Amino acid sequence: MSLTFLSLNVKGINNPIKRSKIIQYLLKEKADVIFIQETHLDHHESQKFLNLWKGPGFFAPATSKKNGVIILFRKTLQILPSQPSQTDPEGRWCACEVTLHRQQLFLLNIYAPNVDDPTFFHSLSQILHNNSHILMIVGGDFNISMDPYLDRSSKCHPSKSRSRIILSTMIKDLGLVDIWRTYNPTSRDYTFFSAPHSSYSHIDYFLVSKPLLKDISSVYIRPILVSDHAAIGLHLHPSSASSPKQVWRLNTSLLSDPDFIQLIKEQTSLFFQENSSSCTNTLLLWETYKAVICGHIISYASHKNKLLTVDLQRLESEIASLESSHRQTNSPALHNCLQAKKFEYNHLMSNKAKQILFHSRGPLLRCQ
């Protein structure tokens, strides 16, 4: 069984709809361990976000609605924290030592300053050296292009960066590797689009200890969808673990769907017309009705979810294709088309997020 690691700069999740939308996006990605940057959430709101996620996590809260990072774990993932989490008082990094599927790891999630700040990377290096006895996965928004030529779409000559020099030295000294560049030594792909400069750059990374290379089967960069950054991910293969059984629950947002209401009315009427006269045991009749109507509900909800999934996948594919073309041409027309597709994608995701929020506030009914 593999573990999926994901990293995403969310550019603020104070808005409840965006907060729920981001969670639905993360769930769609089926990530097990997630590094989130730039939450803009204070301590109280960060805790509320963890409650909404319904899984364990560690966070460094934002200060003055800036910065903020969180490490999330899938609800059903078995984790064994080895040490208390470490956090930055400015909300730029958080770290934890955990055991996942019998693999001990030191995880560090960072949101680096968007200016050349060698002091930040000096302090980061010290943290990692203090934990260098453990295999590491370091991820997040580094706000640096490690290769100033391959990692930037702009043809302008890059300025010298003291932070890049310190980061390169730290990677070498600690035996870390940029896992995406290791798999794609000469490829160009980007994780951030700057609208003011109309340029792309690769500034989000996963750095891993070299001994983990043999356990990583794939790395990827998603299209830029729910933020101005792309999600990046990797698949790690430690020992397997079993998954717990799940309980079906009614999605109460269906109660505002006229087609669903009509279906339930028709099926309820049909059921009692066919069964009321032949069944004198009212308790048995009621239990049978619940089983039958549950089947219709599950079928209807599954069909709706499949249609939504198809639409989202179509839009993701179209956005990825348009992004690729826009990187090559920088065409204003393509940019407008790309923004329209992203608006459509985020509209669907927002509607889904609203349904999830409505569901979480309403009653939860179970078929038993």
Side-chain angles (χ1 to χ4, degrees), residues 1-67:
M1 182 177 178
S2 68
L3 286 171
T4 299
F5 284 74
L6 197 78
S7 177
L8 176 64
N9 180 318
V10 295
K11 199 181 179 182
I13 47 175
N14 279 300
N15 181 282
I17 298 299
K18 183 176 181 182
R19 197 177 298 188
S20 181
K21 181 170 67 176
I22 289 294
I23 285 182
Q24 296 315 305
Y25 177 79
L26 299 178
L27 291 173
K28 180 184 71 67
E29 287 291 322
K30 299 180 180 179
D32 299 291
V33 184
I34 304 155
F35 294 2
I36 295 178
Q37 306 87 44
E38 208 175 350
T39 65
H40 298 176
L41 301 179
D42 61 20
H43 189 281
H44 177 68
E45 291 298 322
S46 295
Q47 189 59 59
K48 283 173 61 176
F49 182 78
L50 281 184
N51 294 340
L52 187 63
W53 172 251
K54 298 179 182 177
F58 306 99
F59 60 83
T63 56
S64 302
K65 294 188 177 181
K66 296 194 302 183
N67 308 336

Side-chain angles (χ1 to χ4, degrees), residues 97-353:
E97 181 183 333
V98 296
T99 300
L100 302 173
H101 295 184
R102 303 175 186 172
Q103 177 70 71
Q104 189 177 20
L105 296 169
F106 181 76
L107 308 179
L108 176 63
N109 177 17
I110 75 163
Y111 171 53
N114 59 2
V115 295
D116 190 12
D117 187 354
T119 303
F120 174 81
F121 286 97
H122 269 305
S123 62
L124 205 65
S125 178
Q126 187 60 54
I127 296 165
L128 292 173
H129 274 94
N130 291 341
N131 294 275
S132 58
H133 59 289
I134 308 170
L135 295 177
M136 299 178 180
I137 297 180
V138 183
D141 178 0
F142 287 69
N143 266 311
I144 291 176
S145 294
M146 295 208 196
D147 187 319
Y149 299 98
L150 285 178
D151 290 344
R152 291 159 50 94
S153 66
S154 172
K155 306 301 181 184
C156 299
H157 193 277
S159 59
K160 291 183 179 180
S161 168
R162 294 172 296 167
S163 296
R164 184 184 296 116
I165 295 171
I166 294 170
L167 179 59
S168 298
T169 302
M170 180 189 80
I171 290 172
K172 182 178 179 181
D173 289 348
L174 288 164
L176 301 173
V177 292
D178 170 5
I179 188 63
W180 191 89
R181 184 56 67 196
T182 299
Y183 273 73
N184 305 274
T186 61
S187 300
R188 290 178 180 269
D189 204 351
Y190 308 107
T191 64
F192 174 70
F193 176 69
S194 171
H197 300 95
S198 191
S199 64
Y200 290 88
S201 56
H202 188 158
I203 58 176
D204 302 84
Y205 299 94
F206 271 120
L207 309 178
V208 305
S209 298
K210 286 182 180 178
L212 289 174
L213 280 174
K214 61 180 175 51
D215 298 326
I216 295 175
S217 61
S218 62
V219 293
Y220 54 87
I221 297 174
R222 294 291 191 232
I224 299 171
L225 293 172
V226 292
S227 175
D228 56 355
H229 286 249
I232 61 173
L234 64 86
H235 295 301
L236 180 71
H237 288 268
S239 58
S240 61
S242 59
S243 300
K245 295 181 179 179
Q246 297 183 347
V247 178
W248 178 85
R249 294 185 177 187
L250 172 65
N251 179 358
T252 53
S253 66
L254 291 174
L255 299 176
S256 61
D257 182 341
D259 292 336
F260 175 76
I261 298 298
Q262 185 61 31
L263 172 70
I264 297 303
K265 286 181 178 178
E266 291 175 355
Q267 294 301 323
T268 298
S269 177
L270 181 62
F271 174 84
F272 285 108
Q273 283 176 14
E274 294 180 347
N275 295 280
S276 293
S277 59
S278 60
C279 183
T280 57
N281 187 325
T282 55
L283 180 59
L284 177 60
L285 183 66
W286 173 241
E287 293 298 327
T288 305
Y289 166 73
K290 286 200 298 181
V292 170
I293 211 66
C294 271
H296 289 296
I297 293 172
I298 292 169
S299 177
Y300 183 88
S302 176
H303 177 68
K304 293 276 287 188
N305 285 332
K306 285 178 182 177
L307 291 178
L308 177 59
T309 299
V310 168
D311 284 341
L312 290 173
Q313 289 175 343
R314 171 183 58 80
L315 286 168
E316 283 187 28
S317 178
E318 291 175 358
I319 289 169
S321 178
L322 286 168
E323 258 187 12
S324 178
S325 299
H326 184 243
R327 290 169 186 168
Q328 301 297 321
T329 64
N330 208 16
S331 160
L334 275 178
H335 180 260
N336 291 338
C337 187
L338 181 60
Q339 293 303 107
K341 292 294 182 183
K342 287 184 177 181
F343 177 83
E344 186 180 353
Y345 178 90
N346 278 278
H347 178 69
L348 289 178
M349 288 290 285
S350 293
N351 284 340
K352 185 176 181 180

